[in-house]
Amino acid sequence: MDIELLTIGTELLLGFTVDTNGAHIARALAAIGVRVVRRTSVADTPEAIRAGVAEALARTGAVLTTGGLGPTRDDVTKVVVAGLFGRPVEFAPALWEALLERYRTLGRPPSASNRTQAEVPRGAVVLPNRWGTAPGLWLEGTVDGRAGLVVMLPGVPHEMRKLLEHEVVPRLAARVEHAAGAGEQRVIRSRTVRTTAIPESTLAERVGDVEDALAPLTLAYLPGLEGVDLRVTAWHLPAAEADARLARAVALLEARAGAHAYGVDDDDLAAVVLQTARRRGVRLAVAESCTGGLVGGRLTAVAGSSDVVLGGVIAYANEVKEALLDVPAAVLAAHGAVSEATARAMAEGACRRVGAEAAVSVTGVAGPGGGSEAKPVGTVWFGIHADGETSAVRHVLPGNRFEIRARAAQMALYLLWRRLAAGRD
């Protein structure tokens, strides 16, 4: 089954609100074999909503909308959709009583405008909203002589997700199963191999021409600040076959990516670092300058990290590097804060001051100013102390200040992970 998504709200087009609903819906529907073939956002106007729904029905015959079901003047979705189906909108006393009970539970009276939320297109199935006041609606019929289905959900993310889970997905899953007949239910499933510290073009060369080996699965490269995700997708395959093919694809992609592959699906590199350190019985410290605590924040954001992470130092000023990390003044004077010698001294000082067995340090030029010909913006030195030895490496990272800092934190975690993984137990 194919379906289109129509997200309704002028705030989406202005950029003040990010459409997280669409991504959640697409994942939930793919799990039951329903493919989202198009996502469209339109303004809160009858003309835009009418055109968006009508065009989606003409292309696909099924559309799921979010937004425009509230009590305000710009909430016109159900009126417009009812008009497309040639249906009147009627007051539903039972629904109104349910809404009144909801308001009594909340301890406040409804406004006069809330009464419109008890109006329903004739023939529509009401999807009860136990998490809010705007019910969802399921309307089937004919539009311009063609059969069509419109599922209308509120735009509030929490309410939308609950209605999707409890009211919409079961109905669509039953429809897919009925269409499949006696055959095995087919699904749309994806797996992701997470890589870092390697450019997309270089990764593509390593992966090589694997599309034929993966077929009928498809492969997508998804670059981001933390690295490049390799997402492989099985389309409309029986569940068991999809899982088996995806497992083989993940193994193949991990082998091609080599040491740059640090996890799958939702794995976080900070969690992988902690698992590796925990397995080796190593406690960690961090010493940060240009990242200002991002590395420590990533590590301590993982639940249970306190048994591995002892602490760290944000040493932005040189005098703090001297006082709290024992970086010699002579090193700073001779080499500067952004240097191999300073990165080494910071990592060693963090271990010594905190009492950890391993540490990572970060010092660099995040910009937009402060760069030079010898040390352009994006220059970052990383120090790693582990197993009684210290090393340092320099990278020049692209992007603006925010991007350079985020990439530096990810690189620090990657270098620490590789050192811990390769070290002696």
Side-chain angles (χ1 to χ4, degrees):
M1 179 180 178
D2 290 343
I3 198 169
E4 296 195 21
L5 302 186
L6 185 71
T7 52
I8 298 165
T10 303
E11 70 278 5
L12 299 172
L13 301 179
L14 291 174
F16 293 118
T17 299
V18 177
D19 176 24
T20 58
N21 283 344
H24 183 86
I25 293 168
R27 289 193 297 267
L29 297 188
I32 59 171
V34 177
R35 181 177 62 169
V36 174
V37 295
R38 187 185 295 250
R39 287 172 55 184
T40 308
S41 296
V42 298
D44 294 300
T45 65
E47 297 78 15
I49 298 170
R50 183 180 298 107
V53 174
E55 291 167 7
L57 288 174
R59 283 189 296 263
T60 316
V63 58
L64 189 154
T65 72
T66 64
L69 297 181
T72 60
R73 288 178 177 270
D74 59 354
D75 291 315
V76 296
T77 299
K78 63 185 173 186
V79 175
V80 171
V81 173
L84 283 171
F85 283 85
R87 309 280 183 87
V89 175
E90 301 171 330
F91 181 74
L95 180 55
W96 177 238
E97 287 301 320
L99 288 172
L100 290 177
E101 180 60 30
R102 170 74 176 170
Y103 278 103
R104 281 192 289 269
T105 302
L106 295 174
R108 57 186 175 90
S111 63
S113 61
N114 286 118
R115 189 178 175 87
T116 62
Q117 293 179 294
E119 296 175 349
V120 179
R122 180 180 293 173
V125 175
V126 175
L127 308 177
N129 184 353
R130 302 185 293 278
W131 309 273
T133 59
L137 296 166
W138 178 291
L139 183 58
E140 293 190 72
T142 58
V143 176
D144 295 331
R146 299 178 181 176
L149 165 66
V150 179
V151 181
M152 292 166 270
L153 297 180
V156 179
H158 174 69
E159 297 178 30
M160 186 284 300
R161 293 184 181 200
K162 289 295 187 180
L163 279 165
L164 182 72
E165 175 187 357
H166 292 279
E167 301 292 339
V168 177
V169 166
R171 286 176 168 85
L172 291 177
R175 177 169 295 210
V176 170
E177 184 176 356
H178 177 74
E184 183 177 355
Q185 182 180 358
R186 293 174 178 263
V187 299
I188 302 171
R189 289 183 181 170
S190 297
R191 296 290 307 277
T192 301
V193 174
R194 310 210 68 188
T195 76
T196 195
I198 182 171
E200 181 181 7
S201 57
T202 306
L203 180 62
E205 291 178 359
R206 283 196 175 206
V207 171
D209 187 13
V210 299
E211 279 79 4
D212 291 342
L214 296 178
L217 277 57
T218 59
L219 174 65
Y221 292 80
L222 307 174
L225 289 178
E226 295 182 357
V228 182
D229 287 345
L230 299 172
R231 179 165 297 161
V232 61
T233 302
W235 300 90
H236 299 299
L237 293 177
E241 180 184 351
D243 289 340
R245 287 182 177 273
L246 287 169
R248 290 194 295 269
V250 165
L252 173 60
L253 293 173
E254 285 181 319
R256 295 289 181 93
H260 294 282
Y262 65 87
V264 297
D265 298 332
D266 295 325
D267 285 346
D268 175 63
L269 182 55
V272 174
V273 170
L274 294 171
Q275 291 167 2
T276 306
R278 191 174 290 117
R279 186 175 63 249
R280 291 197 54 201
V282 172
R283 297 169 300 172
L284 303 177
V286 296
E288 303 182 62
S289 183
C290 65
T291 47
L294 292 179
V295 179
R298 288 277 303 275
L299 288 169
T300 56
V302 180
S305 58
S306 59
D307 67 334
V308 175
V309 180
L310 296 185
V313 177
I314 300 174
Y316 217 63
N318 282 354
E319 52 266 33
V320 178
K321 292 181 177 70
E322 293 180 41
L324 298 184
L325 291 173
D326 303 327
V327 179
V331 168
L332 292 167
H335 303 283
V338 182
S339 65
E340 177 180 3
T342 298
R344 285 173 172 269
M346 288 173 64
E348 292 171 354
C351 273
R352 184 166 51 250
R353 287 298 188 115
V354 173
E357 290 79 38
V360 60
S361 67
V362 189
T363 179
V365 185
S372 65
E373 184 175 351
K375 300 176 183 179
V377 170
T379 300
V380 183
W381 275 96
F382 302 88
I384 303 291
H385 182 78
D387 301 316
E389 300 177 353
T390 306
S391 61
V393 62
R394 172 181 178 269
H395 287 275
V396 179
L397 306 175
N400 57 31
R401 183 178 180 84
F402 172 83
E403 294 166 341
I404 289 170
R405 281 160 45 90
R407 289 186 169 114
Q410 179 77 354
M411 181 64 73
L413 292 171
Y414 174 72
L415 294 171
L416 179 58
W417 170 56
R418 293 309 307 160
R419 180 65 177 275
L420 292 174
R424 53 183 179 272
D425 292 323

